[in-house]
């Protein structure tokens, strides 16, 4: 038993760190650290830098342009990226639809889509949730009816993250309304420029335009855009969700957020004394840091167990719950650290191109809105309650 | 990074597991508890014959030379069996103190008979006003001809009634740090009041009224036992986390089984989502406790450092919180039956809660960690 990384893994960590020091643009890292919004251009600039290094499609098999890294290396990479303030990668293309295309797609689909994902030419969004299909995803109603060499798609998707930037969407659609819930669903790739698609913004409680509604009105999609077999889309969906949950503990993100929290607590003063010297607040930080240490150890144990390429099972549900709770707890402390200074809602200071003088401090505009924004962590990717159902069923066999 | 046991470690774990399973059933345990000794001398003899009593002791003193990982493997099984023997306090904590502080002569004289299981040790480091802070001892050691005279009142010495030798903390003068002495509990001026603890093991109070000890009863430098006490408490709490883990695993297993069999409203109560989610939460805390027990075992024997102290404090904090949760919720999910003396679950719940009353509870370790909190300016970003 040994909790240390190998010399090779430590050397890898140094290599990643050196790369980030030289290549991560300071303006982007600054926005990430301060919790400002990122533009499409910010994301794409960083994706292209990673791709040039061959480090963008970390999770792909080597023959498609992946890195061939071990799970431990991937963990180290994620942790270093988060610590350096790199933007969290928008997963829909590179880490969600791409693994599905690689696993279930035709040679033509692979040849067409994968290079466009690598080059950032395509921006993908996810057409899963519907107004009536949230946690109960399989009750989705968006229809796709066959008409010659086309599917005609009608219906509505919602909570489509960054759909306003996307030129492509992968959708779960119902192709056999007579079949049982999971059995009549297919996985379709759709060009967002196709006539009949309308994207409408949903403004979330923090004032941000991050999610959208997407409407489909007689949208004609070529049949060659079907991934896998017709009516077998649920297999793709489940495969993708496994990928979505992996790494959702967000250890690196929590560590970076904790460091930022400590900075804020050191800078803020309460009755003339640094907040970090207040024993009660300090203990609250200590408590969440200790829990984070425990979740990190659990993550490392799972990584070591899946080092040879296995897919983590229901343990990832536990990590999703605990990791999201910790990130939410840190965001709560960050908001509390500001006291009354968390109240002003200064949207211009949150914008990617803000260059002016902050009303109070550079760190003070985002914590309250971040806190509200991060309520999403325990809702998306299978809500934490759904994760508990999974644990009860698959682990505890209740 | 590797979380596998080697062949020797697996064998050790299997040996203890088998022995506990075969000789420490719940009814047998109740018999040991009710017996005058309050434990099983026969079980202790078997531990000794199998070499288990020697595991934490260095090979120089006829021990097995085990690390925190071996201690973890033993303690986890003793925890699962709710064993009453003072293994943790004698073999890990007290022996560790002698190993760290004792002179070569003291070590050679005492440790081999501890390793073999013949001699039991205990540590008297708590008093009415110490509460996990042994350095705050108010017992006195007054120099006299060829030795010292010890006075004061020691509280809740676990295993103290059985111990052949007790390690006693005392202070030589007000401004001085704490010292550690070897005490023969049969010495004149020692009065022992024994009692069982609410979770089963026996303990005692010690009244010391000017007890004479010889000059060579002092272990380590006078007034400077504080750091060794802190270090060895770290080793002991790491092993104790494993004891709690074994007990938590068993309490969780019993509760899960109960949820699958107990019928109410026409179905097993485990079908109800409120209870399923509670179990999922407990399972999550159990997993964190397991992770931190492993971490504690891996760093228990590291050289003293803030990093080691932080990790050990975090381990005890996480394990203590999980222990309380699982103890309370296991009883709740069982309903009335979980509150009866005749069912082992209740005794696991008691053990789990009372373990948090030794070597510091969650609040104590929250304070320890908080005091050692690393701030960004001091932190050199850590590489493993």
């Amino acid at each position: 038993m040994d909790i240390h990384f190998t010399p090779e893994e430590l050397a890898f960590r140094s290599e990643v760190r050196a790369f980030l020091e030289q290549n991560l643009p300071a303006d982007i890292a600054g926005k990430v650290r301060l919790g400002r919004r990122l533009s499409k251009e910010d994301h794409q600039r960083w994706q292209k830098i990673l791709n040039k290094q061959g480090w963008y499609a970390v999770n792909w098999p080597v023959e498609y342009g992946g890195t061939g890294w071990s799970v431990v290396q991937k963990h180290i990479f994620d942790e270093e990226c988060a610590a350096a303030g790199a933007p969290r990668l928008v997963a829909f293309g590179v880490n969600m639809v791409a693994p599905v295309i690689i696993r279930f797609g035709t040679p033509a689909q692979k040849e067409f889509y994968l290079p466009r994902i690598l080059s950032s030419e395509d921006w993908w969004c996810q057409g899963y949730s519907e107004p009536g299909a949230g946690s109960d995803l399989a009750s989705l109603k968006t229809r796709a009816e066959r008409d010659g060499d086309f599917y005609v798609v009608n219906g509505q998707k919602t909570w489509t993250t960054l759909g306003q930037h996307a030129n492509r969407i992968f959708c779960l659609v119902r192709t056999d309304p007579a079949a049982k819930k999971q059995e009549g669903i297919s996985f379709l790739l759709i060009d967002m420029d196709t006539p009949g698609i309308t994207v409408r913004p949903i403004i979330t409680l923090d004032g941000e335009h991050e999610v959208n509604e997407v409407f489909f009105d007689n949208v004609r999609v070529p049949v060659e855009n079907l991934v896998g077999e017709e009516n077998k889309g649920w297999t793709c969906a489940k495969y993708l969700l496994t990928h979505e949950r992996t790494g959702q503990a967000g250890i690196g993100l929590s560590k970076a957020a904790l460091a930022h929290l400590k900075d804020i607590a050191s800078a803020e003063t309460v009755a003339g004394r640094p907040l970090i010297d207040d024993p009660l607040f300090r203990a609250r930080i200590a408590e969440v840091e200790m829990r984070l240490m425990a979740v990190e150890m659990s993550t490392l144990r799972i990584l070591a167990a899946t080092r040879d390429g296995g897919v983590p099972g229901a343990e990832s549900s536990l990590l999703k719950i605990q990791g999201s709770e910790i990130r939410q707890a840190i965001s709560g402390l960050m908001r509390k650290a500001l006291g009354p200074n968390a109240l002003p809602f200064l949207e211009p200071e949150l914008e990617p191109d803000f260059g002016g003088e902050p009303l109070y401090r550079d760190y003070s505009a985002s914590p309250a809105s971040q806190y509200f924004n991060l309520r999403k962590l325990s809702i998306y990717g299978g809500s934490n309650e759904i994760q508990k159902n999974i644990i009860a069923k698959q682990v505890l066999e209740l | 990074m590797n979380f596998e046991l080697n062949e020797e470690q697996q064998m050790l774990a299997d040996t203890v597991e088998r022995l506990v399973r075969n000789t420490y059933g719940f009814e047998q345990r109740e018999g040991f508890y009710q017996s005058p000794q309050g434990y099983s001398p026969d079980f202790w003899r078997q531990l000794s014959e199998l070499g288990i009593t020697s595991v934490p002791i260095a090979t120089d003193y006829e021990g097995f030379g085990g690390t925190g990982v071996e201690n973890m493997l033993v303690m986890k099984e003793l925890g699962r069996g709710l064993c009453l023997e003072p293994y943790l306090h004698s073999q890990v904590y007290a022996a560790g103190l002698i190993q760290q502080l004792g002179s070569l002569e003291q070590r050679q004289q005492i440790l081999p008979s501890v390793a073999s299981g013949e001699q039991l040790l205990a540590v008297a480091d708590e008093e009415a006003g110490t509460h996990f802070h042994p350095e705050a001892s108010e017992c006195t050691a007054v120099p006299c001809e060829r030795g010292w005279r010890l006075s004061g009142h020691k509280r809740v010495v676990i295993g103290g009634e059985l111990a052949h030798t007790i390690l006693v903390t005392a202070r030589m003068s007000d401004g001085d740090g704490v010292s550690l002495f070897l005490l023969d509990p049969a010495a004149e001026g020692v009065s022992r009041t024994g009692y069982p603890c609410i979770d089963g093991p026996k303990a005692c109070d010690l009244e010391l009224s000017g007890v004479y000890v010889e000059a060579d009863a002092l272990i380590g430098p006078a007034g400077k036992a504080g750091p060794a006490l802190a270090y060895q408490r770290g080793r002991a709490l790491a092993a104790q986390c494993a004891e709690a883990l074994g007990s938590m695993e068993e309490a969780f297993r019993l509760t899960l089984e109960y949820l699958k069999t107990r019928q109410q409203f026409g179905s097993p109560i485990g079908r109800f989502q409120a209870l399923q989610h509670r179990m999922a939460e407990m399972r999550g805390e159990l997993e964190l406790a397991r992770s931190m027990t492993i971490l504690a075992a891996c760093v228990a024997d590291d050289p003293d450092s803030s990093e080691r102290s932080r990790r050990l404090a975090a381990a005890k904090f996480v394990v203590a919180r999980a222990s309380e949760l699982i103890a309370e919720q296991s009883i709740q999910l069982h309903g009335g039956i979980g509150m009866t003396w005749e069912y082992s679950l209740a005794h696991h719940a008691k053990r789990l809660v009372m373990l948090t009353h030794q070597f510091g509870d969650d609040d104590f370790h929250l304070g320890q960690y908080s005091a050692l909190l690393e701030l960004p300016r001091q932190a050199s970003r850590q590489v493993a």
Side-chain angles (χ1 to χ4, degrees), chain A residues 317-341:
Chain A
S317 291
L318 286 178
L319 292 181
K320 196 264 170 175
I321 296 171
Q322 293 163 340
S324 60
E325 286 174 350
I326 284 174
R327 284 183 65 200
Q328 289 179 336
I330 295 170
S331 77
L333 289 176
M334 226 177 286
R335 158 179 71 72
K336 284 175 105 158
L338 287 165
N341 300 311

PDB file of all heavy atoms in Angstrom, chain A residues 317-341:
ATOM      1  N   SER A 317     -21.236   7.490  -8.644  1.00  0.00           N
ATOM      2  CA  SER A 317     -22.412   8.188  -8.131  1.00  0.00           C
ATOM      3  C   SER A 317     -22.126   8.812  -6.763  1.00  0.00           C
ATOM      4  O   SER A 317     -22.543   9.932  -6.489  1.00  0.00           O
ATOM      5  CB  SER A 317     -23.594   7.226  -7.995  1.00  0.00           C
ATOM      6  OG  SER A 317     -24.047   6.838  -9.275  1.00  0.00           O
ATOM      7  N   LEU A 318     -21.411   8.074  -5.922  1.00  0.00           N
ATOM      8  CA  LEU A 318     -21.041   8.619  -4.607  1.00  0.00           C
ATOM      9  C   LEU A 318     -20.169   9.851  -4.780  1.00  0.00           C
ATOM     10  O   LEU A 318     -20.372  10.874  -4.126  1.00  0.00           O
ATOM     11  CB  LEU A 318     -20.267   7.578  -3.794  1.00  0.00           C
ATOM     12  CG  LEU A 318     -21.038   6.424  -3.193  1.00  0.00           C
ATOM     13  CD1 LEU A 318     -20.091   5.480  -2.466  1.00  0.00           C
ATOM     14  CD2 LEU A 318     -22.095   6.939  -2.236  1.00  0.00           C
ATOM     15  N   LEU A 319     -19.187   9.742  -5.665  1.00  0.00           N
ATOM     16  CA  LEU A 319     -18.270  10.863  -5.864  1.00  0.00           C
ATOM     17  C   LEU A 319     -18.976  12.072  -6.451  1.00  0.00           C
ATOM     18  O   LEU A 319     -18.656  13.205  -6.125  1.00  0.00           O
ATOM     19  CB  LEU A 319     -17.111  10.452  -6.776  1.00  0.00           C
ATOM     20  CG  LEU A 319     -16.149   9.433  -6.176  1.00  0.00           C
ATOM     21  CD1 LEU A 319     -15.039   9.116  -7.169  1.00  0.00           C
ATOM     22  CD2 LEU A 319     -15.544   9.965  -4.881  1.00  0.00           C
ATOM     23  N   LYS A 320     -19.954  11.819  -7.318  1.00  0.00           N
ATOM     24  CA  LYS A 320     -20.708  12.939  -7.897  1.00  0.00           C
ATOM     25  C   LYS A 320     -21.429  13.697  -6.790  1.00  0.00           C
ATOM     26  O   LYS A 320     -21.394  14.925  -6.737  1.00  0.00           O
ATOM     27  CB  LYS A 320     -21.696  12.415  -8.944  1.00  0.00           C
ATOM     28  CG  LYS A 320     -22.242  13.490  -9.868  1.00  0.00           C
ATOM     29  CD  LYS A 320     -23.585  14.041  -9.428  1.00  0.00           C
ATOM     30  CE  LYS A 320     -23.976  15.282 -10.222  1.00  0.00           C
ATOM     31  NZ  LYS A 320     -25.309  15.772  -9.916  1.00  0.00           N
ATOM     32  N   ILE A 321     -22.071  12.958  -5.903  1.00  0.00           N
ATOM     33  CA  ILE A 321     -22.798  13.612  -4.807  1.00  0.00           C
ATOM     34  C   ILE A 321     -21.832  14.391  -3.920  1.00  0.00           C
ATOM     35  O   ILE A 321     -22.005  15.589  -3.666  1.00  0.00           O
ATOM     36  CB  ILE A 321     -23.535  12.563  -3.937  1.00  0.00           C
ATOM     37  CG1 ILE A 321     -24.600  11.839  -4.757  1.00  0.00           C
ATOM     38  CG2 ILE A 321     -24.163  13.225  -2.707  1.00  0.00           C
ATOM     39  CD1 ILE A 321     -25.226  10.651  -4.030  1.00  0.00           C
ATOM     40  N   GLN A 322     -20.794  13.702  -3.470  1.00  0.00           N
ATOM     41  CA  GLN A 322     -19.904  14.329  -2.491  1.00  0.00           C
ATOM     42  C   GLN A 322     -19.127  15.485  -3.110  1.00  0.00           C
ATOM     43  O   GLN A 322     -18.953  16.537  -2.481  1.00  0.00           O
ATOM     44  CB  GLN A 322     -18.952  13.272  -1.923  1.00  0.00           C
ATOM     45  CG  GLN A 322     -19.702  12.247  -1.080  1.00  0.00           C
ATOM     46  CD  GLN A 322     -18.912  10.980  -0.830  1.00  0.00           C
ATOM     47  OE1 GLN A 322     -17.959  10.671  -1.547  1.00  0.00           O
ATOM     48  NE2 GLN A 322     -19.308  10.225   0.182  1.00  0.00           N
ATOM     49  N   GLY A 323     -18.681  15.282  -4.353  1.00  0.00           N
ATOM     50  CA  GLY A 323     -17.924  16.341  -5.019  1.00  0.00           C
ATOM     51  C   GLY A 323     -18.776  17.583  -5.236  1.00  0.00           C
ATOM     52  O   GLY A 323     -18.320  18.714  -5.019  1.00  0.00           O
ATOM     53  N   SER A 324     -20.023  17.398  -5.651  1.00  0.00           N
ATOM     54  CA  SER A 324     -20.882  18.558  -5.908  1.00  0.00           C
ATOM     55  C   SER A 324     -21.228  19.258  -4.595  1.00  0.00           C
ATOM     56  O   SER A 324     -21.260  20.488  -4.532  1.00  0.00           O
ATOM     57  CB  SER A 324     -22.145  18.140  -6.664  1.00  0.00           C
ATOM     58  OG  SER A 324     -22.897  17.201  -5.916  1.00  0.00           O
ATOM     59  N   GLU A 325     -21.443  18.478  -3.540  1.00  0.00           N
ATOM     60  CA  GLU A 325     -21.748  19.103  -2.242  1.00  0.00           C
ATOM     61  C   GLU A 325     -20.576  19.961  -1.760  1.00  0.00           C
ATOM     62  O   GLU A 325     -20.772  21.048  -1.210  1.00  0.00           O
ATOM     63  CB  GLU A 325     -22.090  18.028  -1.200  1.00  0.00           C
ATOM     64  CG  GLU A 325     -23.467  17.434  -1.417  1.00  0.00           C
ATOM     65  CD  GLU A 325     -23.792  16.264  -0.479  1.00  0.00           C
ATOM     66  OE1 GLU A 325     -22.873  15.784   0.231  1.00  0.00           O
ATOM     67  OE2 GLU A 325     -24.946  15.821  -0.476  1.00  0.00           O
ATOM     68  N   ILE A 326     -19.377  19.470  -1.977  1.00  0.00           N
ATOM     69  CA  ILE A 326     -18.196  20.233  -1.540  1.00  0.00           C
ATOM     70  C   ILE A 326     -18.043  21.522  -2.341  1.00  0.00           C
ATOM     71  O   ILE A 326     -17.813  22.594  -1.781  1.00  0.00           O
ATOM     72  CB  ILE A 326     -16.930  19.359  -1.631  1.00  0.00           C
ATOM     73  CG1 ILE A 326     -16.931  18.381  -0.466  1.00  0.00           C
ATOM     74  CG2 ILE A 326     -15.667  20.213  -1.606  1.00  0.00           C
ATOM     75  CD1 ILE A 326     -15.833  17.366  -0.507  1.00  0.00           C
ATOM     76  N   ARG A 327     -18.226  21.422  -3.670  1.00  0.00           N
ATOM     77  CA  ARG A 327     -18.091  22.645  -4.480  1.00  0.00           C
ATOM     78  C   ARG A 327     -19.160  23.659  -4.085  1.00  0.00           C
ATOM     79  O   ARG A 327     -18.902  24.858  -4.027  1.00  0.00           O
ATOM     80  CB  ARG A 327     -18.182  22.314  -5.968  1.00  0.00           C
ATOM     81  CG  ARG A 327     -16.888  21.690  -6.486  1.00  0.00           C
ATOM     82  CD  ARG A 327     -16.940  21.416  -7.968  1.00  0.00           C
ATOM     83  NE  ARG A 327     -17.050  22.626  -8.765  1.00  0.00           N
ATOM     84  CZ  ARG A 327     -17.492  22.653 -10.026  1.00  0.00           C
ATOM     85  NH1 ARG A 327     -17.863  21.527 -10.606  1.00  0.00           N
ATOM     86  NH2 ARG A 327     -17.560  23.783 -10.683  1.00  0.00           N
ATOM     87  N   GLN A 328     -20.353  23.165  -3.797  1.00  0.00           N
ATOM     88  CA  GLN A 328     -21.410  24.087  -3.370  1.00  0.00           C
ATOM     89  C   GLN A 328     -21.088  24.684  -2.004  1.00  0.00           C
ATOM     90  O   GLN A 328     -21.324  25.869  -1.762  1.00  0.00           O
ATOM     91  CB  GLN A 328     -22.756  23.356  -3.340  1.00  0.00           C
ATOM     92  CG  GLN A 328     -23.258  23.034  -4.743  1.00  0.00           C
ATOM     93  CD  GLN A 328     -24.587  22.293  -4.753  1.00  0.00           C
ATOM     94  OE1 GLN A 328     -24.936  21.631  -3.788  1.00  0.00           O
ATOM     95  NE2 GLN A 328     -25.313  22.398  -5.852  1.00  0.00           N
ATOM     96  N   ALA A 329     -20.530  23.869  -1.114  1.00  0.00           N
ATOM     97  CA  ALA A 329     -20.191  24.381   0.220  1.00  0.00           C
ATOM     98  C   ALA A 329     -19.125  25.474   0.116  1.00  0.00           C
ATOM     99  O   ALA A 329     -19.201  26.504   0.790  1.00  0.00           O
ATOM    100  CB  ALA A 329     -19.702  23.240   1.113  1.00  0.00           C
ATOM    101  N   ILE A 330     -18.131  25.255  -0.745  1.00  0.00           N
ATOM    102  CA  ILE A 330     -17.080  26.270  -0.908  1.00  0.00           C
ATOM    103  C   ILE A 330     -17.683  27.554  -1.477  1.00  0.00           C
ATOM    104  O   ILE A 330     -17.368  28.657  -1.020  1.00  0.00           O
ATOM    105  CB  ILE A 330     -15.945  25.749  -1.821  1.00  0.00           C
ATOM    106  CG1 ILE A 330     -15.237  24.562  -1.163  1.00  0.00           C
ATOM    107  CG2 ILE A 330     -14.938  26.864  -2.111  1.00  0.00           C
ATOM    108  CD1 ILE A 330     -14.278  23.825  -2.083  1.00  0.00           C
ATOM    109  N   SER A 331     -18.570  27.398  -2.451  1.00  0.00           N
ATOM    110  CA  SER A 331     -19.171  28.608  -3.039  1.00  0.00           C
ATOM    111  C   SER A 331     -20.017  29.343  -1.995  1.00  0.00           C
ATOM    112  O   SER A 331     -20.092  30.573  -2.006  1.00  0.00           O
ATOM    113  CB  SER A 331     -19.992  28.266  -4.286  1.00  0.00           C
ATOM    114  OG  SER A 331     -21.237  27.701  -3.934  1.00  0.00           O
ATOM    115  N   GLY A 332     -20.609  28.604  -1.072  1.00  0.00           N
ATOM    116  CA  GLY A 332     -21.354  29.233   0.016  1.00  0.00           C
ATOM    117  C   GLY A 332     -20.440  30.019   0.944  1.00  0.00           C
ATOM    118  O   GLY A 332     -20.751  31.141   1.358  1.00  0.00           O
ATOM    119  N   LEU A 333     -19.284  29.434   1.251  1.00  0.00           N
ATOM    120  CA  LEU A 333     -18.337  30.129   2.136  1.00  0.00           C
ATOM    121  C   LEU A 333     -17.768  31.372   1.449  1.00  0.00           C
ATOM    122  O   LEU A 333     -17.525  32.398   2.094  1.00  0.00           O
ATOM    123  CB  LEU A 333     -17.205  29.187   2.540  1.00  0.00           C
ATOM    124  CG  LEU A 333     -17.596  28.078   3.509  1.00  0.00           C
ATOM    125  CD1 LEU A 333     -16.412  27.147   3.762  1.00  0.00           C
ATOM    126  CD2 LEU A 333     -18.087  28.662   4.832  1.00  0.00           C
ATOM    127  N   MET A 334     -17.570  31.272   0.150  1.00  0.00           N
ATOM    128  CA  MET A 334     -17.026  32.420  -0.581  1.00  0.00           C
ATOM    129  C   MET A 334     -17.996  33.598  -0.520  1.00  0.00           C
ATOM    130  O   MET A 334     -17.603  34.741  -0.348  1.00  0.00           O
ATOM    131  CB  MET A 334     -16.760  32.021  -2.022  1.00  0.00           C
ATOM    132  CG  MET A 334     -15.408  32.489  -2.464  1.00  0.00           C
ATOM    133  SD  MET A 334     -14.946  32.003  -4.108  1.00  0.00           S
ATOM    134  CE  MET A 334     -14.565  30.324  -4.047  1.00  0.00           C
ATOM    135  N   ARG A 335     -19.256  33.284  -0.669  1.00  0.00           N
ATOM    136  CA  ARG A 335     -20.301  34.313  -0.564  1.00  0.00           C
ATOM    137  C   ARG A 335     -20.325  34.883   0.858  1.00  0.00           C
ATOM    138  O   ARG A 335     -20.348  36.106   1.047  1.00  0.00           O
ATOM    139  CB  ARG A 335     -21.633  33.654  -0.929  1.00  0.00           C
ATOM    140  CG  ARG A 335     -22.886  34.327  -0.431  1.00  0.00           C
ATOM    141  CD  ARG A 335     -24.128  33.578  -0.894  1.00  0.00           C
ATOM    142  NE  ARG A 335     -24.354  32.285  -0.255  1.00  0.00           N
ATOM    143  CZ  ARG A 335     -24.742  32.103   1.003  1.00  0.00           C
ATOM    144  NH1 ARG A 335     -24.883  33.139   1.805  1.00  0.00           N
ATOM    145  NH2 ARG A 335     -24.951  30.892   1.483  1.00  0.00           N
ATOM    146  N   LYS A 336     -20.262  34.001   1.856  1.00  0.00           N
ATOM    147  CA  LYS A 336     -20.310  34.466   3.246  1.00  0.00           C
ATOM    148  C   LYS A 336     -19.092  35.306   3.599  1.00  0.00           C
ATOM    149  O   LYS A 336     -19.182  36.239   4.408  1.00  0.00           O
ATOM    150  CB  LYS A 336     -20.357  33.267   4.201  1.00  0.00           C
ATOM    151  CG  LYS A 336     -21.697  32.601   4.274  1.00  0.00           C
ATOM    152  CD  LYS A 336     -21.626  31.374   5.143  1.00  0.00           C
ATOM    153  CE  LYS A 336     -22.261  31.630   6.480  1.00  0.00           C
ATOM    154  NZ  LYS A 336     -22.677  30.363   7.132  1.00  0.00           N
ATOM    155  N   ALA A 337     -17.956  34.958   3.001  1.00  0.00           N
ATOM    156  CA  ALA A 337     -16.717  35.677   3.324  1.00  0.00           C
ATOM    157  C   ALA A 337     -16.858  37.160   3.021  1.00  0.00           C
ATOM    158  O   ALA A 337     -16.181  37.998   3.609  1.00  0.00           O
ATOM    159  CB  ALA A 337     -15.543  35.085   2.552  1.00  0.00           C
ATOM    160  N   LEU A 338     -17.727  37.501   2.088  1.00  0.00           N
ATOM    161  CA  LEU A 338     -17.878  38.899   1.667  1.00  0.00           C
ATOM    162  C   LEU A 338     -18.870  39.683   2.516  1.00  0.00           C
ATOM    163  O   LEU A 338     -18.928  40.908   2.418  1.00  0.00           O
ATOM    164  CB  LEU A 338     -18.312  38.949   0.202  1.00  0.00           C
ATOM    165  CG  LEU A 338     -17.202  38.596  -0.784  1.00  0.00           C
ATOM    166  CD1 LEU A 338     -17.772  38.303  -2.157  1.00  0.00           C
ATOM    167  CD2 LEU A 338     -16.194  39.722  -0.861  1.00  0.00           C
ATOM    168  N   GLY A 339     -19.641  38.987   3.330  1.00  0.00           N
ATOM    169  CA  GLY A 339     -20.622  39.707   4.146  1.00  0.00           C
ATOM    170  C   GLY A 339     -21.496  40.586   3.268  1.00  0.00           C
ATOM    171  O   GLY A 339     -21.951  40.159   2.203  1.00  0.00           O
ATOM    172  N   PRO A 340     -21.717  41.842   3.669  1.00  0.00           N
ATOM    173  CA  PRO A 340     -22.584  42.721   2.879  1.00  0.00           C
ATOM    174  C   PRO A 340     -22.022  43.016   1.492  1.00  0.00           C
ATOM    175  O   PRO A 340     -22.766  43.389   0.581  1.00  0.00           O
ATOM    176  CB  PRO A 340     -22.673  44.002   3.715  1.00  0.00           C
ATOM    177  CG  PRO A 340     -21.585  43.904   4.717  1.00  0.00           C
ATOM    178  CD  PRO A 340     -21.256  42.463   4.912  1.00  0.00           C
ATOM    179  N   ASN A 341     -20.714  42.837   1.332  1.00  0.00           N
ATOM    180  CA  ASN A 341     -20.103  43.136   0.026  1.00  0.00           C
ATOM    181  C   ASN A 341     -20.506  42.142  -1.055  1.00  0.00           C
ATOM    182  O   ASN A 341     -20.136  42.295  -2.222  1.00  0.00           O
ATOM    183  CB  ASN A 341     -18.580  43.153   0.158  1.00  0.00           C
ATOM    184  CG  ASN A 341     -18.117  44.203   1.143  1.00  0.00           C
ATOM    185  OD1 ASN A 341     -18.553  45.350   1.067  1.00  0.00           O
ATOM    186  ND2 ASN A 341     -17.272  43.815   2.080  1.00  0.00           N
TER     187      ASN A 341
END
